[in-house]
Amino acid sequence: MKKDYTVVGKNIRKLDALEKAMGAATFTTDIKLPGMLYGKVLRSPYPHARIVKIDTSKAEALPGVKAVATYLNTPRVKFNTSATSTFTIPPLQPVEDQYIFDSVVRYVGDEVAAVAATSKKVAEEALELIEVEYELLPTVFDPLEAMKEDAPSLHHCEAGKNVPGEKIHIEMGDIELGFAEADNVFEHTFKLPVQKQAQMETQAAVAQVSVDGKVTVWSTTQTPHPSRRILATIFGLPYSKVRVLNPPYIGGGFGVRIGLSAKAEPIALALAMLAKQPVKVVYDRKEDFIASDTRHSGYVTVKTGVKKDGTFTARKIVGILNSGAYCSWSAEAPGVLGAMGLSIYYCPNQMYDGHSVYTNTTPAGAMRGFGNPQGMFAVDSQVDIIAEALRMDPMEIRRKNIMRPGLPWVLPYPCQSSGLEECMDLGAKAIVWDQRGKQNQDRDTIRRGIGMAIGTHVSNAWPFCGDYSNAYVTVQQDGSIQVASGVPDMGTGTITTLSQMAAEVMGIAFEQVGITFADTESTPFEIGSHASRTCYASGTAVVAAAQDAKKQVFEYAANMLEVTPGELDIENGIIYSTLTQEKSISLGQVAMEAHLRGQQFIGVGRIIPQNAPPYLAHFAEVEVDTETGKVRVTKMVAAHDVGKAIHPLIVEGQLEGGLAMGIGYALSEEIKYDDRGRQLNNGFHKYMLPTAMDIPELEAIIVEAEDPTGPFGAKGVGETGLVATAAAIANAVYDAIGIRFFEIPLTEERVYRALKECK
Amino acid sequence: MQKKILKFKLNGELMELLVSPSDTLVDVVRDQLGLTGTKKGCGKGECGACTVIMNGQSVNSCIVPAMQAMDAEVETIEGIGTSDKMHPLQETFIDYGAIQCGFCTPGMIMSAKALLDGNLSPSRLQIKETIAGNICRCTGYVKIEQAVLAAADKLKATKDK
Ligand code: FES
Ligand code: FES
């Protein structure tokens, strides 16, 4: 492919920006249909209980109430809210462990019933009229406790007590031999908190059933096609009679709706079917906290064997994650944790064992980074411990051990590109790494420190689950083109990026591209927005479709120009012969000519993506107030090998947003539970998200080690921004005060306590 | 509950409608008047997504009882520019990449506008303080702050002309 691109690599105005700036963009929460009812959900106040009796008669009698749904009048079909259930690759089986409503509730917030009424107020009043008698069941909240023999069982499990899906085992080389060869062996266990996606638009869906039974669901899903499959299965409908779409915008996602938007879609649809009127379900913020997936908390143990010179000889990682009450993505997240934790460094002997464990807490599912930030907090905290023990510079020990293209690793695809070392060097320069250790005077109470950490990630979901994409590129009669991709744009700039790629391949101006997206009815199957895949995988499909369309155009044009297709090229919408100057024609002319003779150029892209590792090096500069324990990040540098930045401003935005979320993960964000299973941090006032005041100077550095498998060399970038952020900050805190933390977030309280203990 | 008549100016246009005393301003604007540009992220005054300008002050419209808007001038995102004559904040938010999902954007822009309406040379810290009540989970705020600074410059340049 030629390198001097005309559209790719340019900061073109994003396609969604104007509508959003004007307040004219439509989100699910904005939809209002004629005759639309409002749905509200009754949730369990108990962490584990059996519903002995449920009486909805008073609620039904309330004027304005049109339907009340419970486990007694809704489908008894088990499902998994996550998209993974729709593309788990055999022999693995998807874990389908929940109903829309069940007679057993398994966490505080679990769905008991729902009401559809003519107003939100009436629906809320009706909820209070539903009488439920519960029989309390024994509870367990910690994954290690839940694995014990005498712990209550949440679901029937084959792989072990309360273990959803299968236990994951990854192995390379001979781990025992590797430890035997080591001069030193280090082993540490780290504890990770529950983080919340806290996307700004809460989970929401609007369901409509036509008189002939056709279903339309507008929702906040990140994956319309997989979500359609889940809904069609629950309600026993042909997929072709169910349309799932975004309207077309989503107020963020960060993984929380890969698959259903919690249960907003099936609840809205069940109510719409009962009421025979459209129903809108919008979770309030508290519901979004307590009854919508979180990041996995849990424990990660890392054991590393090292030679005196710092060479790693063996690494074993064990991850035990808290699944919460239902599986969601809990069968896959431990796998990504292990695979990424092992793959960032080259080490000939490696092993990973990991799984999730059911507990009576809010289900954990996908969140940006998907296990990787958990694993890398552990791995890269330990690498700094090892470096210090060996009196090596943290940069040096990493340089010695990082994965490099061509070396073997545990992943089933090869590493074909890496800009990691360049990321490390550029980042070190930007943070002024040489200052490390020289910034504090003996008596300073505010102590400064610098730390770093590295990481990698994926560019789509294979091999952790299935992954493929389809797209159409259709040439219109005037030579403009219409792209159709089922992928959503949840703020990640996807529609802009895909349109750029299509314009580049077709050789036309960006303004000539229209795109339809995130709608199962107008697009072929496409998995959707997750696993940092849209640019890489959906992009590859769009590129393939554009190439297919271009091939057809060139064949047709060659005939018109009486030349061979092979000698044609196109620039700025003009097709020309690279051999004879005077032979040229516009794409619009060719398209119109073909149209008049009964032909349209329809390009189809059908791809199964390979995979490619993006790389990153994060550097943090912190100040720790030794009198209060307050940690302030004063600067963060993030150098990322993104393969190729199709739209640099979008890429920077992804990195900066990821960094901010990573700073929250490191310092302040955590959901805790009381002893009755209730979330203590179920709103923005109690859950400490970074605000503008908490964000330091952020410097995103883009490195482009083009990957041969990515469109224009691009690799995944949506999640990398927080893979190593917490580890870098914890390492900087160690540099500042000499205290190693094995648990995040590094809240004022935790750091203050540690400082006191050290005195 | 007895409904009452609420009269106020919304984006320069006089509005008169019946509201319940328990209605909040955001519900009236979004649900009754159909201006859905103003977003609702929490309904508790904790996220700033519902920020509108009332009598020159930015307020979280989800905790303002609708009746409090009686005789007030309320500005929402829909009222500050048109697609061919955007408010400088709308332009710079687009140009600086300050918009991702866009759900915080209307509230962010209204908070920033309330600041710039009274101060065309805000410091970075003043901007941070102004938008500290507006949560953005997508951008990391950097590009938003840049956009506000740039809009201030633009406004100053037009004023100095
Ligand atoms: S919706 Fe009003 S502050 Fe969040
Ligand atoms: S752009 Fe998504 S919350 Fe700000």
Side-chain angles (χ1 to χ4, degrees):
Chain A
M1 238 173 241
K2 61 182 175 187
K3 293 274 165 171
D4 46 339
Y5 303 125
T6 54
V7 190
V8 158
K10 307 274 188 294
N11 287 330
I12 284 162
R13 175 188 278 196
K14 283 169 63 188
L15 288 173
D16 54 341
L18 180 65
E19 274 180 286
K20 289 176 177 176
M22 302 297 298
T26 307
F27 295 81
T28 305
T29 37
D30 299 331
I31 292 176
K32 199 169 180 179
L33 301 175
M36 189 178 81
L37 304 173
Y38 297 85
K40 282 279 162 199
V41 181
L42 181 68
R43 300 186 174 281
S44 169
Y46 303 111
H48 202 184
R50 188 183 321 279
I51 296 172
V52 183
K53 211 177 119 203
I54 183 160
D55 182 353
T56 57
S57 54
K58 284 188 189 134
E60 279 158 27
L62 187 72
V65 170
K66 303 288 177 176
V68 180
T70 67
Y71 74 94
L72 295 167
N73 61 353
T74 49
R76 297 298 290 162
V77 176
K78 277 193 167 175
F79 62 94
N80 181 323
T81 54
S82 81
T84 179
S85 59
T86 69
F87 42 78
T88 303
I89 307 171
L92 289 181
Q93 290 301 316
V95 180
E96 289 170 333
D97 60 2
Q98 62 185 139
Y99 299 100
I100 309 177
F101 305 100
D102 197 2
S103 54
V104 174
V105 286
R106 296 176 177 84
Y107 71 97
V108 174
D110 209 349
E111 289 76 12
V112 174
V115 172
T118 47
S119 77
K120 285 176 246 181
K121 277 176 204 159
V122 174
E124 271 157 15
E125 264 174 62
L127 290 185
E128 285 172 22
L129 299 176
I130 298 175
E131 289 164 6
V132 191
E133 201 179 308
Y134 296 96
E135 172 200 336
L136 300 191
L137 300 171
T139 56
V140 62
F141 303 117
D142 182 83
L144 300 180
E145 293 296 317
M147 285 159 66
K148 293 182 180 159
E149 261 320 296
D150 56 349
S153 284
L154 272 79
H155 303 274
H156 173 76
C157 300
E158 296 284 337
K161 179 90 180 194
N162 282 322
V163 173
E166 307 203 3
K167 291 187 174 173
I168 290 161
H169 178 77
I170 303 174
E171 198 175 332
M172 181 172 97
D174 182 336
I175 194 81
E176 291 314 321
L177 188 74
F179 282 121
E181 280 172 7
D183 294 319
N184 288 299
V185 175
F186 297 82
E187 183 169 353
H188 302 97
T189 296
F190 298 81
K191 189 172 178 209
L192 286 312
V194 177
Q195 189 182 23
K196 188 74 192 111
Q197 295 83 351
Q199 75 298 336
M200 283 305 292
E201 185 182 27
T202 56
Q203 304 286 25
V206 178
Q208 185 180 41
V209 186
S210 73
V211 282
D212 59 354
K214 212 201 117 179
V215 166
T216 304
V217 177
W218 292 263
S219 89
T220 46
T221 178
Q222 295 176 222
T223 57
H225 285 275
S227 295
R228 175 179 69 163
R229 175 168 168 189
I230 300 171
L231 288 176
T233 307
I234 296 172
F235 292 92
L237 297 165
Y239 296 4
S240 56
K241 300 285 185 195
V242 180
R243 178 185 189 189
V244 176
L245 70 162
N246 299 145
Y249 296 118
I250 315 173
F254 315 113
V256 79
R257 30 215 182 194
I258 307 170
L260 302 179
S261 306
K263 284 195 207 161
E265 290 95 341
I267 292 171
L269 184 49
L271 288 170
M273 284 178 166
L274 290 169
K276 301 196 170 18
Q277 273 172 267
V279 174
K280 178 175 183 175
V281 171
V282 177
Y283 283 27
D284 66 26
R285 184 54 65 181
K286 183 177 167 195
E287 290 180 287
D288 201 88
F289 264 91
I290 68 169
S292 165
D293 287 0
T294 68
R295 185 190 290 292
H296 287 89
S297 59
Y299 302 87
V300 178
T301 301
V302 189
K303 184 175 170 189
T304 304
V306 202
K307 288 265 192 218
K308 277 202 195 75
D309 70 354
T311 310
F312 299 155
T313 60
R315 171 164 287 132
K316 179 166 187 204
I317 304 179
V318 176
I320 308 287
L321 299 181
N322 187 347
S323 162
Y326 298 97
C327 179
S328 185
W329 289 94
S330 291
E332 288 80 11
V336 174
L337 187 166
M340 295 298 117
L342 292 179
S343 298
I344 180 63
Y345 295 104
Y346 167 70
C347 180
N349 308 296
Q350 302 191 323
M351 189 183 277
Y352 174 72
D353 282 299
H355 60 84
S356 300
V357 191
Y358 287 123
T359 67
N360 297 108
T361 58
T362 300
M367 178 172 172
R368 198 179 211 171
F370 201 80
N372 197 356
Q374 292 96 315
M376 284 315 296
F377 171 65
V379 168
D380 250 26
S381 290
Q382 192 193 54
V383 168
D384 262 36
I385 297 174
I386 297 171
E388 192 185 32
L390 301 182
R391 295 177 197 285
M392 286 180 81
D393 184 278
M395 286 279 286
E396 275 330 297
I397 193 166
R398 287 181 173 84
R399 212 185 286 281
K400 198 174 193 88
N401 289 288
I402 52 174
M403 177 67 195
R404 291 174 198 274
L407 290 172
W409 61 2
V410 296
L411 298 167
Y413 51 90
C415 172
Q416 301 191 62
S417 63
S418 171
L420 179 53
E421 202 162 14
E422 193 183 344
C423 290
M424 288 170 58
D425 290 336
L426 292 174
K429 203 165 153 219
I431 202 87
V432 198
W433 182 254
D434 294 343
Q435 276 185 35
R436 187 168 174 272
K438 300 176 195 152
Q439 293 166 294
N440 298 310
Q441 304 297 327
D442 269 358
R443 291 212 310 265
D444 288 350
T445 55
I446 307 266
R447 305 204 62 91
R448 311 179 83 193
I450 295 178
M452 60 113 32
I454 60 174
T456 181
H457 201 59
V458 294
S459 298
N460 69 84
W462 177 77
F464 304 100
C465 44
D467 200 300
Y468 72 106
S469 280
N470 298 299
Y472 301 144
V473 166
T474 314
V475 182
Q476 307 301 303
Q477 289 77 35
D478 63 351
S480 63
I481 66 167
Q482 185 73 37
V483 178
S485 164
V487 74
D489 187 334
M490 52 177 177
T492 45
T494 306
I495 53 171
T496 304
T497 308
L498 296 187
S499 299
Q500 280 179 280
M501 293 185 192
E504 189 69 51
V505 173
M506 288 302 296
I508 59 171
F510 180 75
E511 294 69 33
Q512 295 293 310
V513 183
I515 184 164
T516 171
F517 60 102
D519 179 356
T520 58
E521 198 161 79
S522 57
T523 65
F525 184 87
E526 145 75 42
I527 293 208
S529 188
H530 84 126
S532 301
R533 69 182 297 284
T534 61
C535 179
Y536 181 90
S538 314
T540 299
V542 167
V543 166
Q547 279 165 342
D548 183 24
K550 187 158 92 170
K551 186 164 163 271
Q552 298 167 32
V553 168
F554 279 8
E555 274 162 16
Y556 202 93
N559 243 328
M560 288 173 73
L561 295 174
E562 296 175 334
V563 296
T564 60
E567 68 184 86
L568 291 178
D569 206 344
I570 178 167
E571 248 171 64
N572 233 334
I574 306 293
I575 300 159
Y576 62 94
S577 162
T578 50
L579 302 178
T580 34
Q581 291 264 312
E582 59 274 16
K583 297 271 188 180
S584 73
I585 188 168
S586 76
L587 176 58
Q589 280 172 294
V590 177
M592 187 58 82
E593 175 69 19
H595 165 71
L596 295 174
R597 290 169 200 283
Q599 188 180 336
Q600 183 175 28
F601 307 115
I602 302 172
V604 181
R606 283 182 266 246
I607 65 103
I608 302 172
Q610 302 183 55
N611 213 330
Y615 281 104
L616 58 109
H618 284 182
F619 293 79
E621 186 188 77
V622 302
E623 282 179 6
V624 184
D625 185 335
T626 53
E627 285 172 343
T628 63
K630 171 126 186 98
V631 178
R632 213 164 65 87
V633 179
T634 49
K635 182 168 179 172
M636 209 69 232
V637 175
H640 284 236
D641 164 19
V642 303
K644 169 79 191 164
I646 307 294
H647 189 297
L649 202 58
I650 290 176
V651 171
E652 279 172 29
Q654 286 303 302
L655 300 183
E656 289 166 2
L659 282 171
M661 207 176 257
I663 291 172
Y665 189 50
L667 296 185
S668 59
E669 294 184 32
E670 179 172 21
I671 290 177
K672 291 190 195 166
Y673 291 86
D674 69 10
D675 57 2
R676 287 151 74 188
R678 294 174 303 192
Q679 281 192 10
L680 294 170
N681 317 78
N682 57 14
F684 288 143
H685 265 190
K686 301 179 213 153
Y687 180 82
M688 296 299 138
L689 291 166
T691 72
M693 295 300 284
D694 304 307
I695 300 301
E697 184 188 343
L698 300 181
E699 187 175 340
I701 299 174
I702 294 176
V703 168
E704 297 182 318
E706 294 182 10
D707 196 277
T709 65
F712 303 94
K715 307 193 254 193
V717 69
E719 299 170 89
T720 51
L722 52 53
V723 164
T725 313
I729 291 172
N731 287 342
V733 167
Y734 181 82
D735 182 47
I737 57 173
I739 299 175
R740 175 59 58 187
F741 288 91
F742 294 90
E743 185 176 354
I744 46 173
L746 304 180
T747 56
E748 231 167 300
E749 187 189 336
R750 175 165 289 133
V751 176
Y752 179 75
R753 278 211 197 133
L755 282 160
K756 262 179 93 176
E757 274 167 31
C758 276
K759 267 191 187 148
Chain B
M1 259 183 295
Q2 194 67 50
K3 291 208 175 192
K4 291 195 175 139
I5 292 177
L6 167 66
K7 279 193 214 173
F8 71 116
K9 252 193 184 171
L10 181 60
N11 299 324
E13 205 180 314
L14 197 63
M15 298 285 162
E16 194 173 327
L17 69 163
L18 275 178
V19 303
S20 306
S22 62
D23 284 345
T24 58
L25 183 55
V26 71
D27 292 333
V28 167
V29 168
R30 278 179 59 84
D31 299 346
Q32 282 190 253
L33 298 171
L35 293 191
T36 54
T38 303
K39 298 300 180 214
K40 197 166 166 183
C42 69
K44 288 187 161 184
E46 300 176 358
C47 77
C50 63
T51 306
V52 301
I53 298 180
M54 188 161 101
N55 294 333
Q57 297 279 325
S58 63
V59 293
N60 286 330
S61 61
C62 72
I63 48 170
V64 175
M67 286 311 288
Q68 246 179 48
M70 184 65 99
D71 299 326
E73 301 224 6
V74 175
E75 265 182 290
T76 69
I77 188 72
E78 289 93 345
I80 67 166
T82 59
S83 54
D84 40 11
K85 197 171 181 312
M86 281 184 269
H87 188 278
L89 278 163
Q90 293 172 312
E91 285 170 356
T92 56
F93 265 63
I94 295 173
D95 294 343
Y96 282 76
I99 304 173
Q100 288 190 28
C101 80
F103 207 80
C104 72
T105 308
M108 236 2 135
I109 289 182
M110 296 314 283
S111 286
K113 180 172 185 290
L115 170 72
L116 300 188
D117 281 348
N119 177 3
L120 289 183
S121 310
S123 67
R124 189 84 178 215
L125 183 65
Q126 281 173 318
I127 292 172
K128 278 180 179 282
E129 283 167 354
T130 299
I131 60 165
N134 292 79
I135 293 172
C136 174
R137 192 55 156 167
C138 297
T139 64
Y141 305 102
V142 180
K143 297 197 185 311
I144 293 175
E145 291 164 27
Q146 288 168 349
V148 178
L149 274 177
D153 286 345
K154 273 196 176 193
L155 282 162
K156 232 183 342 198
T158 3
K159 207 180 146 206
D160 291 346
K161 252 185 217 161

